[in-house]
Amino acid sequence: MHNAEAKPCEFSRPSTVEDDGMQVANCVKIQRMKNELHPLPTLSNLLPAVDFRAVSIAFDSAPLLDCISFSVPRGQMRIIIGPSNCGKSTIIKLAIGLLKPDSGQIYLAGEEISKLPEEEMFPLRDHIGVVLQTDALFSMSVAENVAYRLSHLGLNDEETETEVRRVLHIVGLDDAYSLMPDELSGGMSRRAAIARALAGSPPTMFYDSPCSGLDPITSRRLMREVIRQRDIEQVSSIYVTQNLDEVRYLCSHLCEVDANGETILRPENNAFCLINTRILMLSDGHIIFDNEDEFFWSATDEKIQEFKS
């Protein structure tokens, strides 16, 4: 099976990865400090990270999403695909409270946010990372942009420096540490925004076409980090893309610790069933597929076939 949560055809969850040989001790420390200093505002960690219940929204009287329901359990990923203008990005904006649904309920970290005032969204947003299609960097250096979240996690200067360098390396911005936003190209600005969202491995991540405009090497590094956070940090995520190569990679690779305690990224095989990544496809305002990826590749639905062709 293809889905991100390794288990030896039963249960053997992966443990720790590092990108290009980098150490993950600081990542583990960040996760521990997040849990100690800022427990999630929820009654139980058993509740889904994201939960849509019969959600509808229309623009100019034209329905975009029509009574859709799905959830993202803790530590799992939903890859959302579909034709242009089908509501993929709208789902992310609804999930983080930038848009309000016309009807239905949305839960983030166990809290109903559908009608929550903007000021009450701030504590919830402390626990999420968001990569939107616009970069919106602050008027400060790249390093300061990336470090912005980390001060809330209680990291000291040395730990913050290590994490900033780590995520800048992932997106290929090692040499942009001191640059200001107006000194960056469009592609560099995009990568800096991604690094800022990744920093500290927030418990819930939202990615809106994160690899769009990135070169293949940086895209692969980013996807490896997404897998690391999913499998090692148990980060929950929604990942929007139109790129089926990204879908295949995310659904067929896992991160784990080998017998020597080394963290490795490897493809799934017959000995493991990956169960924590599902594909959700939208079309005409409805969910037409929500299942593991092997069922997607073999699906005979006409709309799915057309999208895959």
Side-chain angles (χ1 to χ4, degrees), residues 75-117:
Q76 296 196 17
M77 171 187 284
R78 280 295 178 282
I79 302 176
I80 300 181
I81 61 175
S84 299
N85 303 314
C86 69
K88 301 184 297 294
S89 297
T90 299
I91 283 180
I92 288 183
K93 291 175 182 177
L94 287 165
I96 63 177
L98 294 182
L99 292 174
K100 300 298 183 184
D102 297 327
S103 62
Q105 295 175 304
I106 300 171
Y107 291 80
L108 179 61
E111 183 160 348
E112 208 276 324
I113 66 167
S114 308
K115 298 179 175 61
L116 209 61

Side-chain angles (χ1 to χ4, degrees), residues 231-245:
D231 295 345
I232 305 309
E233 305 284 356
Q234 299 303 298
V235 169
S236 314
S237 62
I238 288 178
Y239 188 105
V240 167
T241 184
Q242 297 252 63
N243 189 318
L244 291 181
D245 288 337

Side-chain angles (χ1 to χ4, degrees), residues 2-308:
H2 295 359
N3 238 240
E5 184 170 284
K7 311 206 167 182
C9 274
E10 229 185 338
F11 267 19
S12 123
R13 194 184 277 276
S15 273
T16 307
V17 60
E18 51 199 271
D19 189 284
D20 296 334
M22 297 187 70
Q23 296 298 318
V24 297
N26 196 52
C27 301
V28 174
K29 181 177 181 65
I30 288 169
Q31 182 66 36
R32 176 177 57 78
M33 296 183 76
K34 283 191 303 184
N35 293 339
E36 292 174 354
L37 297 175
H38 297 282
L40 286 171
T42 178
L43 295 176
S44 169
N45 282 337
L46 296 178
L47 294 172
V50 182
D51 194 6
F52 276 53
R53 301 181 184 179
V55 171
S56 297
I57 188 170
F59 295 93
D60 299 325
S61 300
L64 182 62
L65 299 173
D66 186 9
C67 201
I68 69 165
S69 298
F70 73 94
S71 64
V72 182
R74 302 276 178 178
Q76 296 196 17
M77 171 187 284
R78 280 295 178 282
I79 302 176
I80 300 181
I81 61 175
S84 299
N85 303 314
C86 69
K88 301 184 297 294
S89 297
T90 299
I91 283 180
I92 288 183
K93 291 175 182 177
L94 287 165
I96 63 177
L98 294 182
L99 292 174
K100 300 298 183 184
D102 297 327
S103 62
Q105 295 175 304
I106 300 171
Y107 291 80
L108 179 61
E111 183 160 348
E112 208 276 324
I113 66 167
S114 308
K115 298 179 175 61
L116 209 61
E118 177 66 15
E119 60 271 15
E120 294 183 34
M121 285 296 305
F122 295 147
L124 286 167
R125 290 179 183 147
D126 284 343
H127 301 281
I128 65 174
V130 184
V131 178
L132 295 174
Q133 292 186 14
T134 55
D135 304 333
L137 295 177
F138 304 131
S139 296
M140 53 182 68
S141 72
V142 168
E144 290 169 324
N145 265 280
V146 175
Y148 185 80
R149 172 195 302 278
L150 301 180
S151 61
H152 300 294
L153 298 179
L155 273 68
N156 62 34
D157 290 346
E158 182 179 353
E159 293 160 348
T160 296
E161 176 77 5
T162 300
E163 176 67 354
V164 168
R165 296 285 186 184
R166 185 186 75 85
V167 294
L168 286 179
H169 175 72
I170 289 169
V171 299
L173 286 182
D174 306 74
D175 297 330
Y177 184 94
S178 301
L179 296 182
M180 297 297 289
D182 59 4
E183 299 177 286
L184 304 177
S185 68
M188 293 172 71
S189 177
R190 175 72 169 161
R191 287 182 281 160
I194 292 170
R196 183 178 62 187
L198 291 173
S201 297
T204 305
M205 286 290 305
F206 298 92
Y207 302 94
D208 193 350
S209 304
C211 293
S212 177
L214 300 184
D215 63 83
I217 293 174
T218 303
S219 294
R220 188 57 57 93
R221 281 180 177 172
L222 173 57
M223 287 189 287
R224 287 173 180 166
E225 173 64 6
V226 171
I227 292 170
R228 184 197 71 79
Q229 290 192 354
R230 178 194 68 194
D231 295 345
I232 305 309
E233 305 284 356
Q234 299 303 298
V235 169
S236 314
S237 62
I238 288 178
Y239 188 105
V240 167
T241 184
Q242 297 252 63
N243 189 318
L244 291 181
D245 288 337
E246 293 176 33
V247 176
R248 287 185 185 276
Y249 191 85
L250 293 169
C251 288
S252 63
H253 286 76
L254 67 136
C255 216
E256 63 178 357
V257 175
D258 66 14
N260 298 317
E262 298 294 326
T263 57
I264 58 172
L265 177 80
R266 67 174 181 79
E268 68 168 355
N269 57 36
N270 291 335
F272 283 86
C273 303
L274 306 183
I275 63 171
N276 68 356
T277 301
R278 294 166 69 101
I279 297 172
L280 186 154
M281 182 170 174
L282 296 170
S283 181
D284 299 325
H286 298 93
I287 295 172
I288 64 169
F289 183 89
D290 184 8
N291 211 331
E292 285 132 4
D293 75 301
E294 69 264 28
F295 299 107
F296 176 78
W297 307 122
S298 61
T300 57
D301 178 271
E302 183 177 343
K303 291 179 180 177
I304 296 176
Q305 291 278 23
E306 182 180 2
F307 186 79
K308 290 189 295 183

